[in-house]
């Protein structure tokens, strides 16, 4: 049963973390002080016994010095501990939010009485301080030892978790499927347990020594429980860092399908306590439902399950492709309506031109982008890249210099580059030659599946509408190519990109105003490429059929492609650029002038305070910002000749004296978390690349959400003892059917039921006696959690 924190504006519960939860003390005087500090008017009428039985405070509300971890499985409070850390103001930022825990407004008389009581009690507490320390020490000495059975159980569970973590890190599925209907499932997990027992693991041997041969050691449900605990433990480690850093950005990846249901990968970007930018993969979320349902599900995931606040979200980026882009754009708009500072920006992992093309809601563009993704995967298979290079050499045999340039440009991951459409246009004729050769498969070196893929790509590239679309995309996105490359460059490049957007939009508007002239040139280029490829110039068959059905005269090819390809693409790109780089977004990027190298490039004539209003509420001392910025500029302007100006946000945050500029420090941390900026000083591959590597390394039927999280986050530390403790609390063998405790209801409106509280079950932390629990006022209560089963 989960425990719920009674503190105002605190939504923590024991299913979300490994935080300790402490009972209100039975001593009436100490209990009164706890209630007084909580500022919960509805608790004042309750007795200390009632409060002790039904209410808890989590460890976050106590000074860390007051919390004692007496063993890996037990946390207690010092006898003199008083909760002093409370959030009594965050609800004021959103006055329309419904609050379950009403905060008492203190009058002057209340304040006077509190001061008098605290003064009287402080003398008594000081005199008892030494005695309290001695009592705490004696408590540690009297800590009851675990029984032999409990120790054996924990050693057994520890061995299980060690195996699960190893399988997850290596990307090995627990179960690989059936060899045939008559055979048992091939179970990697059971095979490794057998190996460990044969190697001398006594904990496992004692557990399974009486088990019959070929009998399954653990059921699928038990394996799923182990996976679930591992997954939640690893996630909680990352979430603790996110909560400490406060500000974060939400990044979503391309859809992944589990059990015939599409899921959205969720990543969080934040600056940790060491001022290092991190982007971590945390979970998959179901993609079922409309835009409003997705927004509600996202909010519930981040706030209710992860204990974060959407008010602290400072950016969002959605790396969607295909038909899902329209839905994710709507999700971004709805999130910004609720949380204006959750700026919608492109993701640093994807070239801007690809991002813009993906967001265009036109079927012909979707076909081109899907073909690019297929080509990226196709040329990773054996021999295919060699065949492409042969085709390039054959096509450009009269222009070897051009052939060499195309061959170099079409190397590894060319489908993800900023100039992808330029390369694709140069590759169209060689691609057809290459695919024809693979289809023929004269020497039989290609598998049938590869030949079939080559046939499908050939059919797509032989369509004149695809050729025209590639030509139009290449020419229109030429104007945004340098802008997008700068956005993913160094900090100075990003700053100048933000200031160059006006020129980009001006160029696009100039094209739009003279579209007749531009379209004529582009159409001629498409016809020329099609002629080289041997592709007939014609209007799409589907359009002609509709025209005949409507008894409308036939349209000329050039006029058709202008109306249905060129104009929609140019208008769509202009709209995407304006939406993606709104005035607020540009103000945020122009704040990068806080980086000393940018200030130096601007001759220290920068005006960050003009853009500071965007993040004014995030600054610790906003009133002193102008003076602080002046001092910040003077510090670097009059630096010594041997002092080098830091060139990135990461370098700047690592400076030891940046802490003396609290507003600048906060500013840089928020800016660093924006998803458009590249991850600096990242020694490992991006989380999105690690996730893709996991998905590529095994068949789709063997994908597992929990194993994916373990595999992607191998760098996150894990504590097997914590996993064992959590498993004992969640899945107690003595009471496996324990029901979850209902959440308490606190008076809010006149029509709501008042005074209903959640009943605490008699079951407490494993290994604690009833007598011990009765004698300790402030001991941690570990409720029975209910955790979502995510391993199947």
């Amino acid at each position: 049963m989960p425990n719920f924190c009674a503190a105002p504006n605190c939504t923590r519960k024991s299913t979300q973390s490994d935080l300790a939860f402490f009972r209100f003390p039975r001593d009436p005087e100490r209990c009164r002080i706890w209630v007084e500090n909580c500022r919960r008017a509805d608790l004042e009428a309750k007795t200390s016994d009632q409060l002790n039985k039904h209410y808890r405070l989590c460890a976050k509300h106590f000074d860390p010095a007051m919390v004692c971890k007496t063993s890996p499985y037990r946390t207690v409070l010092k006898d003199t501990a008083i909760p002093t850390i409370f959030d009594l103001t965050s609800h004021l930022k959103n006055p329309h939010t419904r609050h379950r825990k009403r905060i008492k407004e203190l009058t002057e008389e209340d304040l006077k009485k509190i001061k008098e009581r605290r003064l009287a009690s402080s003398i008594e507490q000081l005199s008892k301080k030494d005695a309290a320390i001695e009592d705490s020490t004696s408590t540690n000495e009297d800590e009851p030892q675990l029984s032999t059975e409990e120790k054996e159980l924990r050693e057994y569970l520890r061995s299980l978790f060690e195996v699960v973590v190893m399988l997850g890190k290596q990307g090995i599925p627990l179960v690989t499927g059936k060899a045939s209907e008559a055979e048992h499932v091939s179970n990697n997990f059971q095979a490794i347990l057998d190996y460990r027992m044969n190697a001398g693991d006594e904990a496992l041997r004692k557990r399974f020594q009486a088990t019959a041969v070929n009998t399954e050691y653990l059921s699928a449900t038990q394996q799923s429980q182990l996976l679930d605990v591992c997954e939640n433990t690893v996630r909680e480690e990352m979430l603790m860092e996110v909560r400490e850093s406060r500000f974060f950005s939400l990044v979503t990846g391309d859809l992944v399908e589990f059990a015939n249901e599409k899921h959205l990968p969720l990543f969080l970007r934040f600056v940790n306590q060491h001022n290092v930018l991190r982007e971590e993969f945390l979970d998959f979320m179901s993609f079922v439902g409309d835009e409003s349902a997705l927004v509600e599900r996202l909010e519930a995931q981040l706030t209710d399950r992860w204990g974060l606040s959407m008010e602290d979200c400072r950016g969002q980026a959605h790396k969607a492709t295909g038909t899902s882009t329209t839905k994710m754009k709507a999700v971004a708009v709805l999130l910004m309506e609720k949380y204006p500072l959750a700026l919608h920006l492109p993701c640093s992992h994807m070239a801007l031109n690809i991002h813009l093309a993906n967001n265009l809601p036109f079927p012909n563009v979707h076909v081109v982008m899907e073909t690019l993704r297929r080509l990226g995967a196709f040329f990773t298979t054996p021999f295919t890249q060699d065949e492409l290079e042969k085709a390039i050499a054959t096509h450009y045999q009269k222009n070897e210099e051009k052939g060499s340039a195309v061959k170099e440009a079409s190397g590894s991951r060319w489908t993800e580059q900023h100039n992808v459409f330029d390369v694709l246009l140069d590759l169209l004729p060689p691609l057809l030659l290459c695919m024809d050769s693979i289809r023929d498969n004269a020497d039989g070196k290609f598998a049938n599946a590869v030949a079939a893929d080559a046939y499908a790509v050939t059919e797509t590239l032989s369509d004149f509408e695809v050729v025209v679309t590639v030509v139009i995309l290449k020419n229109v996105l030429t104007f945004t190519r340098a802008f997008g490359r700068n956005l993913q460059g160094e900090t100075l490049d990003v700053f100048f990109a933000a200031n160059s957007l006006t020129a980009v939009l001006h160029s696009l508007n100039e094209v739009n105003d003279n579209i007749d002239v531009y379209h004529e040139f582009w159409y001629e280029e498409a016809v020329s490429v099609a002629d080289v490829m041997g592709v007939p110039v014609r209007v799409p068959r589907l359009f002609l059929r509709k025209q005949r059905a409507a008894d409308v005269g036939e349209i000329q090819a050039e006029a058709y492609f202008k109306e249905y390809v060129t104009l929609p693409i140019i208008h769509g790109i202009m709209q995407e650029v304006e939406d993606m780089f709104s005035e607020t977004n540009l103000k945020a990027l122009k704040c990068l002038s806080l980086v000393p190298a940018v200030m130096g490039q601007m001759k220290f004539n920068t005006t960050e305070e003009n853009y500071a209003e965007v993040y004014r509420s995030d600054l610790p001392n906003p009133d002193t910002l102008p003076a602080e910025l002046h001092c910040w500029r003077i510090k670097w302007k009059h630096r010594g000749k041997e002092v080098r100006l830091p060139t990135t946000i990461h370098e700047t945050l690592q400076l030891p004296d940046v802490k003396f500029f609290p507003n600048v420090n906060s500013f840089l941390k928020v800016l660093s978390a924006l998803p458009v900026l590249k991850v600096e000083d990242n020694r490992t591959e991006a989380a999105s690349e690690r996730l893709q590597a996991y998905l590529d390394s095994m068949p789709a039927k063997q994908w597992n959400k929990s194993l994916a999280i373990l595999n992607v986050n191998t760098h996150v530390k894990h504590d097997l003892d914590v996993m064992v403790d959590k498993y004992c609390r969640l899945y107690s063998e003595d009471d496996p059917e324990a029901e979850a405790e209902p959440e308490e209801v606190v008076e809010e409106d006149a029509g709501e039921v008042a005074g209903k509280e959640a009943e605490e079950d008699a079951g407490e932390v494993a290994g604690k006696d009833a007598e011990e629990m009765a004698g300790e006022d402030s001991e941690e209560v570990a409720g029975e959690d209910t955790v979502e089963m995510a391993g199947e």
Side-chain angles (χ1 to χ4, degrees):
M1 292 165 296
N3 295 301
F4 306 92
C5 185
N9 291 326
C10 183
T11 59
R12 298 182 184 92
K13 56 184 178 180
S14 57
T15 55
Q16 295 174 340
S17 71
D18 294 319
L19 273 179
F21 280 71
F22 303 103
R23 297 174 180 272
F24 275 66
R26 286 196 181 91
D27 177 64
E29 180 61 18
R30 285 188 64 219
C31 188
R32 180 186 55 74
I33 297 175
W34 281 38
V35 173
E36 184 177 272
N37 288 3
C38 281
R39 296 266 293 275
R40 287 278 301 277
D42 57 304
L43 301 185
E44 293 180 347
K46 301 184 184 300
T47 66
S48 58
D49 287 337
Q50 289 175 321
L51 292 168
N52 176 265
K53 182 177 181 182
H54 298 303
Y55 289 86
R56 315 282 183 271
L57 287 180
C58 70
K60 287 291 185 181
H61 305 293
F62 296 87
D63 188 303
M66 295 290 102
V67 182
C68 304
K69 196 168 184 66
T70 60
S71 77
Y73 317 115
R74 187 162 178 264
T75 305
V76 298
L77 283 177
K78 292 185 178 180
D79 289 344
T80 56
I82 299 294
T84 56
I85 305 171
F86 292 97
D87 174 13
L88 302 174
T89 59
S90 65
H91 66 285
L92 300 177
K93 297 179 183 178
N94 191 357
H96 302 293
T97 303
R98 177 179 176 270
H99 305 290
R100 297 187 303 102
K101 306 165 185 175
R102 186 183 297 278
I103 300 176
K104 179 182 179 181
E105 299 294 335
L106 297 180
T107 63
E108 292 185 4
E109 184 177 354
D110 292 332
L111 292 173
K112 183 178 179 181
K113 289 181 179 179
I114 289 173
K115 289 179 180 179
E116 291 176 352
R117 286 198 296 265
R118 287 182 178 173
L119 181 62
S121 62
S122 61
I123 299 174
E124 181 181 356
Q125 290 181 12
L126 286 173
S127 63
K128 294 181 178 180
K129 184 176 181 180
D130 293 337
I133 295 175
E134 293 177 2
D135 291 342
S136 178
T137 305
S138 64
T139 301
N140 294 348
E141 294 174 352
D142 296 337
E143 176 70 24
Q145 298 297 314
L146 295 174
S147 66
T148 303
E149 292 78 8
E150 289 170 335
K151 287 181 179 179
E152 290 179 352
L153 173 62
R154 290 184 177 278
E155 285 300 317
Y156 156 69
L157 290 173
R158 202 177 192 283
S159 294
L160 293 182
F161 280 117
E162 195 171 351
V163 171
V164 172
V165 170
M166 184 276 292
L167 290 172
K169 285 187 173 183
Q170 298 301 320
I172 302 173
L174 272 66
V175 177
T176 57
K178 294 184 178 181
S180 69
E181 290 298 326
E183 294 182 7
H184 289 288
V185 173
S186 176
N187 194 319
N188 293 329
F189 184 52
Q190 185 145 333
I192 294 180
L193 292 183
D194 283 327
Y195 176 81
R196 284 181 66 104
M197 283 188 284
N198 293 332
D201 191 321
E202 291 300 322
L204 292 176
R205 183 185 295 277
K206 289 180 181 178
R207 191 77 176 186
F208 298 123
Q209 62 184 352
T211 305
V213 179
N214 293 331
T215 301
E216 188 176 42
Y217 293 150
L218 292 172
S219 67
T221 300
Q222 290 171 313
Q223 294 179 32
S224 178
Q225 291 171 351
L226 292 170
L227 276 172
D228 196 58
V229 170
C230 289
E231 171 193 340
N232 283 304
T233 303
V234 170
R235 183 187 298 115
E236 184 57 31
E237 285 290 335
M238 294 183 285
L239 286 175
M240 286 174 64
E241 291 193 79
V242 180
R243 296 186 196 109
E244 289 172 355
S245 65
R246 183 184 169 189
F247 299 113
F248 63 91
S249 287
L250 172 67
V251 180
T252 64
D254 205 1
L255 296 180
V256 179
E257 191 167 310
F258 291 102
N260 299 320
E261 183 178 312
K262 293 182 178 180
H263 288 78
L264 193 66
L266 301 182
F267 303 82
L268 291 185
R269 178 182 284 215
F270 60 96
V271 178
N272 66 12
Q273 294 301 302
H274 301 292
N275 290 331
V276 175
L277 177 61
R278 301 254 307 272
E279 185 174 301
E280 302 291 1
F281 169 58
L282 277 90
D283 204 356
F284 293 98
M285 187 190 78
S286 173
F287 197 65
V288 176
D290 59 11
E291 295 84 355
S292 299
L294 287 179
V295 170
E296 291 180 6
R297 199 174 297 131
L298 265 174
E299 288 182 290
Q301 187 92 337
L302 269 70
T303 57
D304 297 342
R305 294 189 59 193
W306 293 354
L308 304 176
S309 171
M310 283 300 297
E311 297 290 346
D312 295 330
C313 181
R314 290 295 171 266
Q316 52 173 319
H318 306 292
K319 193 179 174 182
T321 57
T323 56
S324 63
T325 54
T326 304
K327 185 182 288 190
M328 292 311 300
K329 282 171 62 178
V331 167
V333 171
L334 291 174
L335 282 175
M336 282 196 67
E337 289 176 356
K338 285 184 152 185
Y339 311 102
L341 288 181
L343 304 181
H344 183 206
L345 292 160
C347 180
S348 62
H349 305 316
M350 180 183 287
L352 178 65
N353 279 356
I354 296 178
H355 181 81
L356 293 173
N358 276 333
N359 281 0
L360 295 178
F362 311 127
N364 55 319
V365 177
H366 288 171
V367 170
V368 171
M369 300 312 295
E370 179 59 30
T371 302
L372 274 174
R373 287 188 286 275
R374 294 179 66 178
L375 288 173
F378 183 83
F379 287 108
T380 59
T381 53
F383 309 118
T384 51
Q385 186 67 30
D386 294 338
E387 202 68 32
L388 177 62
E389 292 180 1
K390 290 178 185 177
I392 294 173
T394 301
H395 179 74
Y396 289 104
Q397 58 184 340
K398 295 182 179 179
N399 189 349
E400 293 184 0
E401 184 178 349
K402 175 71 172 178
S404 298
V406 172
K407 189 180 296 185
E408 183 178 354
S410 62
S412 176
R413 306 181 73 169
W414 67 272
T415 58
E416 303 173 17
Q417 303 304 314
H418 296 278
N419 62 340
V420 57
F421 297 106
D422 300 74
V423 177
L424 178 61
L425 190 58
D426 289 334
L427 275 177
L428 281 179
L431 274 173
L432 271 187
L433 288 176
C434 173
M435 296 301 167
D436 287 341
S437 175
I438 294 175
R439 282 174 57 192
D440 292 341
N441 200 13
D443 50 7
K445 66 179 179 180
F446 296 105
N448 290 336
V450 176
D453 288 341
Y455 176 79
V457 172
T458 302
E459 290 297 303
T460 301
L461 297 181
S462 300
D463 186 345
F464 182 67
E465 186 178 23
V466 170
V467 176
V468 173
T469 303
V470 172
V471 171
I472 302 303
L473 284 172
K474 171 253 184 181
N475 285 286
V476 173
L477 293 174
T478 297
F479 299 102
T480 59
R481 187 174 59 205
F483 173 72
R485 185 180 287 112
N486 286 337
L487 276 180
Q488 293 184 355
E490 299 301 326
T491 305
L492 187 61
D493 299 325
V494 180
F495 176 77
F496 285 123
N499 287 278
S500 69
L501 182 66
T502 303
V504 174
L505 289 173
H506 177 76
S507 299
L508 291 173
N509 277 303
E510 193 272 335
V511 171
N512 186 51
D513 293 340
N514 299 278
I515 195 62
D516 292 337
V517 177
Y518 281 96
H519 174 71
E520 184 178 348
F521 282 110
W522 296 344
Y523 183 75
E524 289 179 1
E525 182 180 5
V527 171
S528 175
V529 173
D531 184 55
V532 173
M533 297 171 63
V535 174
V537 177
R538 59 190 178 193
V539 176
R541 178 184 57 81
L542 181 61
F543 178 80
L544 289 176
R545 191 179 68 182
K546 290 181 179 179
Q547 291 291 94
R548 295 189 187 103
D551 197 20
V552 179
E554 291 192 8
I555 187 173
Q556 295 298 315
E558 184 174 352
Y560 167 84
F561 288 111
K562 174 188 174 183
E563 182 177 352
Y564 293 100
V565 179
T566 303
L567 285 174
I569 287 179
I570 185 68
H571 294 161
I573 293 296
M574 291 172 64
Q575 188 63 51
E576 282 298 322
V577 172
E578 290 177 358
D579 292 344
M580 195 63 66
F581 300 98
S582 63
E583 183 179 355
T584 303
N585 295 12
L586 290 179
K587 281 183 177 180
L589 294 178
K590 288 178 180 179
C591 289
L592 291 172
S593 58
L594 287 168
V595 176
V598 180
M599 295 169 63
Q601 190 71 24
M602 301 295 293
K603 308 300 182 185
F604 298 96
N605 186 26
T606 55
T607 54
E608 298 85 0
E609 50 265 38
N610 293 342
Y611 314 118
E613 280 301 315
V614 178
Y615 298 117
R616 185 175 182 83
S617 60
D618 299 337
L619 304 180
N621 303 300
D623 295 334
T624 64
L625 179 63
E628 187 177 315
L629 289 176
H630 176 73
C631 295
W632 181 250
R633 282 192 288 267
I634 294 299
K635 166 184 168 60
W636 295 107
K637 185 175 183 179
H638 299 291
R639 71 194 185 282
K641 292 183 179 180
E642 70 284 354
V643 177
R644 185 182 69 86
L645 293 175
T647 59
T648 66
I649 294 181
H650 175 72
E651 278 188 56
T652 309
L653 287 174
Q654 296 302 319
L655 297 173
D657 52 353
V658 75
K659 61 186 177 183
F660 299 117
F661 299 87
N663 287 317
V664 172
N665 191 29
S666 298
F667 234 137
L668 291 174
K669 286 184 177 180
V670 174
L671 290 173
S672 186
L674 293 179
V676 69
L677 301 178
K678 70 175 184 178
V679 180
E680 300 166 356
D681 193 37
N682 189 24
R683 296 173 185 153
T684 60
E685 295 176 312
S688 58
E689 293 182 0
R690 297 198 300 271
L691 174 60
Q692 191 59 49
Y694 168 82
L695 298 175
D696 292 340
S697 65
M698 63 178 59
K701 292 182 179 180
Q702 295 178 11
W703 289 350
N704 180 282
K705 292 191 289 183
S706 297
L707 285 176
I709 293 172
L710 291 176
N711 183 261
V712 174
N713 296 302
T714 54
H715 61 290
V716 178
K717 67 176 183 178
H718 61 275
D719 190 328
L720 296 178
D721 290 326
V722 171
M723 293 181 184
V724 170
D725 186 40
K726 184 176 289 189
Y727 187 91
C728 289
R729 290 191 286 114
L730 298 180
Y731 308 108
S732 172
E733 290 188 345
D734 296 332
D735 188 15
E737 302 297 326
E739 297 180 357
E741 171 185 295
E743 186 168 348
E744 63 182 30
V745 179
V746 180
E747 179 183 22
E748 174 63 27
D749 298 318
E752 293 190 0
V753 180
K756 289 187 178 180
E757 308 300 340
E759 284 296 322
E760 179 71 15
D761 195 343
E764 299 295 341
V765 179
K768 293 185 178 180
D769 298 340
E771 293 82 9
E772 175 191 345
M773 296 302 296
E776 294 180 5
D777 287 335
S778 305
E779 185 170 330
E780 175 192 7
V781 178
E784 298 291 333
D785 296 336
T786 53
V787 177
E788 177 188 358
M789 308 302 293
E792 293 297 315

